[in-house]
Amino acid sequence: MKALIIINPKAGKQKRTNTAEFLQRAFRLRGYDCDIIETKEPREAERIACETAGNYQLVVCSGGDGTLNETVNGLINVPERPPIAYLPTGTTNDFAKSLGLSTNLSQAVRDALDGSGQKLDIGKMNGRGFVYVTSFGAISDSSFKTSQEMKNRFGRLAYVMESIKEMPSMKPHRMRVFGGQGEICSGNYIFGAVSNATTLGGILRYSSDDVSLSDGRHEVILVKKPENPAMLRRIFHALITKNYSADGIEMFHASQVRFESEDETAWTLDGERCEPTKTVEITNIPEAVEFIVPKRRDQ
Protein backbone atom coordinates (compact mmCIF):
# COMPACT_ATOMS: atom_id res chain seq x y z
CA MET A 1 0.00 0.00 0.00
CA LYS A 2 1.14 3.52 -0.75
CA ALA A 3 0.50 6.63 1.33
CA LEU A 4 0.97 10.26 0.34
CA ILE A 5 1.82 12.36 3.41
CA ILE A 6 1.41 16.14 3.05
CA ILE A 7 2.85 18.22 5.91
CA ASN A 8 2.53 21.93 6.57
CA PRO A 9 5.58 22.52 8.80
CA LYS A 10 4.38 26.02 9.79
CA ALA A 11 0.95 25.01 11.08
CA GLY A 12 -0.09 25.94 14.62
CA LYS A 13 2.04 25.98 17.73
CA GLN A 14 3.91 22.75 17.13
CA LYS A 15 7.58 23.18 16.31
CA ARG A 16 8.38 19.51 16.03
CA THR A 17 11.42 19.16 13.77
CA ASN A 18 11.13 15.43 13.15
CA THR A 19 7.47 15.27 12.07
CA ALA A 20 8.31 13.81 8.65
CA GLU A 21 10.53 11.10 10.10
CA PHE A 22 8.00 10.29 12.82
CA LEU A 23 5.12 9.93 10.35
CA GLN A 24 7.16 7.93 7.88
CA ARG A 25 8.25 5.48 10.57
CA ALA A 26 4.72 5.10 11.99
CA PHE A 27 3.04 4.43 8.65
CA ARG A 28 5.82 2.19 7.36
CA LEU A 29 5.45 -0.01 10.43
CA ARG A 30 1.85 -0.61 9.28
CA GLY A 31 2.91 -1.62 5.79
CA TYR A 32 2.69 1.69 3.90
CA ASP A 33 5.22 2.78 1.33
CA CYS A 34 5.29 6.52 2.06
CA ASP A 35 6.01 9.59 -0.04
CA ILE A 36 6.32 12.73 2.11
CA ILE A 37 6.04 16.32 0.92
CA GLU A 38 6.41 19.39 3.15
CA THR A 39 4.59 22.38 1.69
CA LYS A 40 6.45 25.65 1.13
CA GLU A 41 3.88 27.89 -0.55
CA PRO A 42 0.09 28.51 -0.73
CA ARG A 43 -2.00 26.04 -2.74
CA GLU A 44 0.89 23.56 -2.93
CA ALA A 45 -1.06 20.90 -1.03
CA GLU A 46 -3.94 21.31 -3.48
CA ARG A 47 -1.71 20.92 -6.52
CA ILE A 48 0.04 17.87 -5.08
CA ALA A 49 -3.21 16.13 -4.16
CA CYS A 50 -4.79 16.88 -7.54
CA GLU A 51 -1.80 15.66 -9.56
CA THR A 52 -0.73 12.60 -7.56
CA ALA A 53 -3.37 11.40 -5.06
CA GLY A 54 -4.82 8.91 -7.54
CA ASN A 55 -1.60 6.89 -7.25
CA TYR A 56 -2.07 6.22 -3.52
CA GLN A 57 -4.34 4.17 -1.26
CA LEU A 58 -4.25 6.82 1.49
CA VAL A 59 -3.63 10.56 1.73
CA VAL A 60 -2.40 11.91 5.06
CA CYS A 61 -2.74 15.65 5.76
CA SER A 62 -0.76 17.09 8.69
CA GLY A 63 -1.59 20.78 9.22
CA GLY A 64 -4.40 23.16 10.08
CA ASP A 65 -7.81 23.77 8.57
CA GLY A 66 -6.28 25.72 5.67
CA THR A 67 -3.96 22.85 4.72
CA LEU A 68 -6.88 20.43 4.90
CA ASN A 69 -8.94 22.73 2.66
CA GLU A 70 -6.20 22.74 0.04
CA THR A 71 -5.77 18.97 0.19
CA VAL A 72 -9.49 18.31 -0.17
CA ASN A 73 -9.77 20.79 -3.04
CA GLY A 74 -7.14 18.76 -4.82
CA LEU A 75 -8.79 15.45 -3.97
CA ILE A 76 -12.21 16.38 -5.32
CA ASN A 77 -10.67 16.63 -8.78
CA VAL A 78 -9.40 13.03 -8.59
CA PRO A 79 -11.82 10.49 -10.17
CA GLU A 80 -10.83 7.62 -7.85
CA ARG A 81 -10.33 9.37 -4.53
CA PRO A 82 -8.39 7.63 -1.78
CA PRO A 83 -9.48 8.24 1.81
CA ILE A 84 -7.85 11.06 3.75
CA ALA A 85 -6.43 10.90 7.27
CA TYR A 86 -6.31 14.33 8.88
CA LEU A 87 -3.69 14.98 11.58
CA PRO A 88 -4.77 18.36 13.06
CA THR A 89 -1.74 20.46 14.03
CA GLY A 90 -3.25 23.94 13.51
CA THR A 91 -4.39 26.53 16.06
CA THR A 92 -8.16 25.99 16.38
CA ASN A 93 -8.76 22.72 14.47
CA ASP A 94 -12.51 23.22 14.37
CA PHE A 95 -13.20 20.41 11.91
CA ALA A 96 -11.08 17.98 13.89
CA LYS A 97 -13.35 18.50 16.90
CA SER A 98 -16.38 17.61 14.79
CA LEU A 99 -14.75 14.28 13.91
CA GLY A 100 -13.39 13.57 17.38
CA LEU A 101 -9.79 13.75 16.20
CA SER A 102 -7.01 14.21 18.72
CA THR A 103 -4.69 17.22 18.48
CA ASN A 104 -1.94 15.13 20.03
CA LEU A 105 0.07 14.00 17.03
CA SER A 106 0.95 10.56 18.39
CA GLN A 107 -2.68 9.81 19.25
CA ALA A 108 -3.90 11.24 15.93
CA VAL A 109 -1.56 8.87 14.08
CA ARG A 110 -2.81 5.87 16.07
CA ASP A 111 -6.40 6.88 15.32
CA ALA A 112 -5.59 7.24 11.62
CA LEU A 113 -4.00 3.80 11.48
CA ASP A 114 -6.71 2.06 13.53
CA GLY A 115 -9.74 4.06 12.39
CA SER A 116 -12.33 3.45 9.71
CA GLY A 117 -13.57 5.38 6.68
CA GLN A 118 -16.60 7.66 6.77
CA LYS A 119 -17.86 9.52 3.71
CA LEU A 120 -18.66 13.17 4.45
CA ASP A 121 -20.31 16.01 2.58
CA ILE A 122 -18.19 18.77 1.06
CA GLY A 123 -19.37 22.26 0.11
CA LYS A 124 -18.67 24.40 -2.91
CA MET A 125 -18.81 28.18 -2.79
CA ASN A 126 -18.73 29.87 -6.21
CA GLY A 127 -16.98 26.77 -7.55
CA ARG A 128 -14.34 26.32 -4.85
CA GLY A 129 -14.59 23.55 -2.28
CA PHE A 130 -14.71 23.92 1.47
CA VAL A 131 -14.54 21.23 4.11
CA TYR A 132 -16.59 22.60 6.97
CA VAL A 133 -17.48 26.31 6.75
CA THR A 134 -17.78 29.40 4.61
CA SER A 135 -18.68 32.59 6.42
CA PHE A 136 -18.65 36.37 6.54
CA GLY A 137 -18.64 39.05 9.21
CA ALA A 138 -17.81 39.30 12.90
CA ILE A 139 -16.58 35.84 13.86
CA SER A 140 -15.01 35.29 10.44
CA ASP A 141 -12.98 38.51 10.58
CA SER A 142 -11.65 37.70 14.03
CA SER A 143 -9.36 35.02 12.58
CA PHE A 144 -7.53 37.66 10.54
CA LYS A 145 -7.40 40.34 13.24
CA THR A 146 -6.09 37.99 15.93
CA SER A 147 -2.30 38.05 16.14
CA GLN A 148 -0.31 34.83 15.85
CA GLU A 149 1.09 35.52 19.33
CA MET A 150 -2.44 35.63 20.76
CA LYS A 151 -3.41 32.46 18.88
CA ASN A 152 -0.36 30.61 20.21
CA ARG A 153 -0.91 31.87 23.76
CA PHE A 154 -4.67 31.47 24.12
CA GLY A 155 -5.68 29.11 21.26
CA ARG A 156 -9.40 29.28 20.39
CA LEU A 157 -10.04 31.69 23.30
CA ALA A 158 -8.14 34.33 21.31
CA TYR A 159 -10.84 34.20 18.61
CA VAL A 160 -13.59 34.54 21.20
CA MET A 161 -11.96 37.62 22.72
CA GLU A 162 -11.44 39.23 19.33
CA SER A 163 -15.04 38.49 18.28
CA ILE A 164 -16.47 40.11 21.42
CA LYS A 165 -14.38 43.20 20.80
CA GLU A 166 -15.35 43.50 17.13
CA MET A 167 -19.08 42.80 17.17
CA PRO A 168 -20.35 46.24 18.35
CA SER A 169 -18.56 48.08 15.54
CA MET A 170 -19.24 45.62 12.71
CA LYS A 171 -20.68 47.08 9.53
CA PRO A 172 -23.83 45.14 8.58
CA HIS A 173 -24.35 43.63 5.14
CA ARG A 174 -27.78 44.05 3.57
CA MET A 175 -28.58 40.67 2.03
CA ARG A 176 -31.29 38.56 0.49
CA VAL A 177 -30.97 34.81 0.98
CA PHE A 178 -32.47 32.26 -1.42
CA GLY A 179 -32.93 28.49 -1.33
CA GLY A 180 -34.32 25.99 -3.79
CA GLN A 181 -37.88 27.24 -3.29
CA GLY A 182 -37.17 30.98 -3.49
CA GLU A 183 -36.33 33.70 -0.98
CA ILE A 184 -35.83 32.48 2.58
CA CYS A 185 -34.99 35.67 4.45
CA SER A 186 -33.43 39.12 4.19
CA GLY A 187 -31.93 41.69 6.53
CA ASN A 188 -28.88 43.54 7.79
CA TYR A 189 -26.44 40.87 8.97
CA ILE A 190 -23.16 41.21 10.84
CA PHE A 191 -22.36 37.50 10.59
CA GLY A 192 -23.35 34.51 8.50
CA ALA A 193 -22.05 30.98 8.11
CA VAL A 194 -22.83 27.93 6.01
CA SER A 195 -21.26 24.94 7.70
CA ASN A 196 -20.93 21.19 8.03
CA ALA A 197 -19.49 20.96 11.54
CA THR A 198 -20.45 20.89 15.19
CA THR A 199 -18.19 23.78 16.27
CA LEU A 200 -17.16 27.05 14.63
CA GLY A 201 -14.52 29.52 15.72
CA GLY A 202 -14.65 28.62 19.38
CA ILE A 203 -18.02 30.35 19.76
CA LEU A 204 -20.72 28.48 17.84
CA ARG A 205 -21.46 24.92 18.86
CA TYR A 206 -24.17 22.67 17.47
CA SER A 207 -25.54 19.52 19.01
CA SER A 208 -24.41 16.35 17.27
CA ASP A 209 -28.07 15.27 17.46
CA ASP A 210 -29.02 18.21 15.22
CA VAL A 211 -26.10 18.11 12.78
CA SER A 212 -25.15 15.30 10.42
CA LEU A 213 -21.95 15.60 8.40
CA SER A 214 -23.31 13.38 5.63
CA ASP A 215 -26.98 14.26 5.17
CA GLY A 216 -26.61 16.35 1.99
CA ARG A 217 -27.41 19.60 3.82
CA HIS A 218 -25.49 22.46 5.36
CA GLU A 219 -26.42 24.40 8.47
CA VAL A 220 -26.99 28.11 7.76
CA ILE A 221 -26.88 30.71 10.54
CA LEU A 222 -27.29 34.48 10.25
CA VAL A 223 -26.92 37.15 12.94
CA LYS A 224 -28.65 40.51 12.50
CA LYS A 225 -27.12 43.86 13.41
CA PRO A 226 -28.01 44.59 17.08
CA GLU A 227 -30.11 47.70 17.53
CA ASN A 228 -28.60 48.53 20.94
CA PRO A 229 -26.07 47.18 23.49
CA ALA A 230 -28.74 45.18 25.30
CA MET A 231 -29.67 43.35 22.11
CA LEU A 232 -25.97 42.68 21.44
CA ARG A 233 -25.63 41.07 24.87
CA ARG A 234 -28.73 38.93 24.28
CA ILE A 235 -27.48 37.77 20.89
CA PHE A 236 -24.03 36.90 22.17
CA HIS A 237 -25.52 35.03 25.12
CA ALA A 238 -27.82 33.15 22.75
CA LEU A 239 -24.88 32.11 20.59
CA ILE A 240 -22.89 30.90 23.58
CA THR A 241 -25.85 28.95 24.99
CA LYS A 242 -26.87 27.51 21.60
CA ASN A 243 -30.25 29.26 21.58
CA TYR A 244 -30.40 29.69 17.81
CA SER A 245 -34.10 30.53 17.78
CA ALA A 246 -33.53 33.78 19.70
CA ASP A 247 -34.45 37.19 18.28
CA GLY A 248 -31.76 38.45 15.91
CA ILE A 249 -30.66 34.96 14.86
CA GLU A 250 -31.89 32.94 11.90
CA MET A 251 -30.93 29.31 11.35
CA PHE A 252 -31.99 26.70 8.79
CA HIS A 253 -30.70 23.71 6.80
CA ALA A 254 -30.14 23.77 3.03
CA SER A 255 -28.52 21.75 0.27
CA GLN A 256 -28.30 24.88 -1.91
CA VAL A 257 -28.29 28.53 -0.88
CA ARG A 258 -27.57 31.84 -2.59
CA PHE A 259 -26.67 35.15 -0.96
CA GLU A 260 -27.19 38.44 -2.75
CA SER A 261 -25.58 41.43 -1.04
CA GLU A 262 -25.98 45.13 -1.81
CA ASP A 263 -22.27 45.64 -1.18
CA GLU A 264 -19.19 43.52 -1.83
CA THR A 265 -18.78 41.17 1.10
CA ALA A 266 -15.60 39.37 2.15
CA TRP A 267 -16.17 35.68 2.81
CA THR A 268 -13.85 33.00 4.16
CA LEU A 269 -13.47 29.34 3.21
CA ASP A 270 -12.35 27.15 6.12
CA GLY A 271 -10.82 30.27 7.66
CA GLU A 272 -9.02 31.51 4.53
CA ARG A 273 -10.11 34.87 3.12
CA CYS A 274 -11.71 35.10 -0.34
CA GLU A 275 -12.07 38.08 -2.66
CA PRO A 276 -15.12 40.25 -1.79
CA THR A 277 -18.19 39.59 -3.90
CA LYS A 278 -21.88 40.52 -4.07
CA THR A 279 -23.23 37.08 -4.99
CA VAL A 280 -22.39 33.75 -3.41
CA GLU A 281 -23.71 30.37 -4.56
CA ILE A 282 -23.21 27.46 -2.18
CA THR A 283 -23.91 23.81 -2.96
CA ASN A 284 -23.59 20.68 -0.84
CA ILE A 285 -21.83 17.71 -2.49
CA PRO A 286 -23.09 14.66 -0.59
CA GLU A 287 -20.53 12.13 0.71
CA ALA A 288 -17.84 13.51 -1.57
CA VAL A 289 -14.73 12.60 0.44
CA GLU A 290 -13.95 9.67 2.73
CA PHE A 291 -12.26 10.61 6.01
CA ILE A 292 -10.58 8.24 8.43
CA VAL A 293 -12.29 8.68 11.79
CA PRO A 294 -11.18 7.18 15.12
CA LYS A 295 -12.83 4.26 16.78
CA ARG A 296 -14.92 5.10 19.82
CA ARG A 297 -12.72 5.22 22.92
CA ASP A 298 -14.95 2.71 24.73
CA GLN A 299 -14.54 0.06 22.03
Side-chain angles (χ1 to χ4, degrees):
M1 297 184 292
K2 296 184 66 177
L4 170 63
I5 301 178
I6 299 173
I7 301 172
N8 179 355
K10 297 181 180 179
K13 294 182 284 187
Q14 296 196 42
K15 302 299 180 185
R16 188 169 186 159
T17 58
N18 64 338
T19 298
E21 292 85 352
F22 172 74
L23 295 182
Q24 186 175 63
R25 181 169 60 252
F27 281 88
R28 278 186 171 176
L29 284 173
R30 292 295 189 93
Y32 285 96
D33 180 14
C34 303
D35 289 331
I36 297 181
I37 299 176
E38 293 189 347
T39 60
K40 300 179 178 63
E41 58 188 16
R43 296 286 183 93
E44 187 176 4
E46 181 177 343
R47 176 184 59 79
I48 292 166
C50 180
E51 294 177 356
T52 68
N55 301 321
Y56 297 89
Q57 284 71 56
L58 177 68
V59 172
V60 180
C61 172
S62 175
D65 293 333
T67 309
L68 180 64
N69 174 277
E70 291 187 13
T71 303
V72 168
N73 265 283
L75 271 180
I76 59 179
N77 291 305
V78 177
E80 297 294 329
R81 300 167 197 152
I84 180 170
Y86 178 36
L87 310 179
T89 58
T91 302
T92 55
N93 305 304
D94 268 337
F95 187 64
K97 292 176 175 61
S98 295
L99 296 185
L101 303 179
S102 175
T103 55
N104 176 281
L105 185 58
S106 297
Q107 183 62 56
V109 169
R110 288 193 290 271
D111 288 341
L113 290 168
D114 296 331
S116 58
Q118 179 180 346
K119 290 187 176 181
L120 303 180
D121 301 343
I122 296 297
K124 275 201 171 182
M125 190 272 270
N126 289 357
R128 180 162 180 81
F130 63 93
V131 179
Y132 76 101
V133 66
T134 179
S135 62
F136 70 87
I139 299 171
S140 305
D141 287 347
S142 69
S143 64
F144 302 105
K145 295 178 180 178
T146 306
S147 69
Q148 189 61 50
E149 180 182 357
M150 287 283 287
K151 294 177 188 177
N152 291 345
R153 185 176 179 184
F154 296 106
R156 64 172 47 248
L157 180 60
Y159 294 105
V160 177
M161 292 187 293
E162 188 66 38
S163 297
I164 294 172
K165 183 176 72 176
E166 289 293 323
M167 284 185 77
S169 61
M170 286 299 300
K171 174 187 174 183
H173 299 277
R174 179 68 184 175
M175 288 184 171
R176 299 174 68 193
V177 184
F178 300 85
Q181 304 300 317
E183 185 169 341
I184 298 173
C185 58
S186 64
N188 292 315
Y189 302 108
I190 61 168
F191 172 72
V194 181
S195 64
N196 194 45
T198 58
T199 178
L200 300 175
I203 297 178
L204 299 184
R205 295 177 184 274
Y206 297 131
S207 168
S208 57
D209 294 333
D210 298 328
V211 173
S212 170
L213 305 185
S214 55
D215 64 353
R217 301 186 304 167
H218 282 112
E219 284 62 56
V220 183
I221 188 167
L222 295 158
V223 177
K224 290 185 175 180
K225 174 71 175 180
E227 297 175 358
N228 51 59
M231 184 178 180
L232 172 63
R233 288 193 295 270
R234 289 196 297 271
I235 287 175
F236 202 83
H237 181 265
L239 294 175
I240 294 295
T241 59
K242 299 189 289 188
N243 179 18
Y244 301 128
S245 61
D247 289 344
I249 300 175
E250 294 170 348
M251 182 182 174
F252 57 92
H253 306 274
S255 58
Q256 293 183 326
V257 63
R258 184 174 81 255
F259 295 82
E260 295 183 358
S261 177
E262 292 183 358
D263 61 342
E264 298 217 329
T265 303
W267 288 70
T268 68
L269 282 178
D270 294 334
E272 302 297 318
R273 191 184 290 273
C274 303
E275 287 296 320
T277 182
K278 289 186 176 182
T279 303
V280 164
E281 298 266 3
I282 298 170
T283 303
N284 182 289
I285 308 173
E287 299 186 345
V289 175
E290 182 178 357
F291 283 83
I292 303 299
V293 298
K295 292 181 180 178
R296 287 172 50 184
R297 303 297 183 202
D298 57 354
Q299 289 183 337

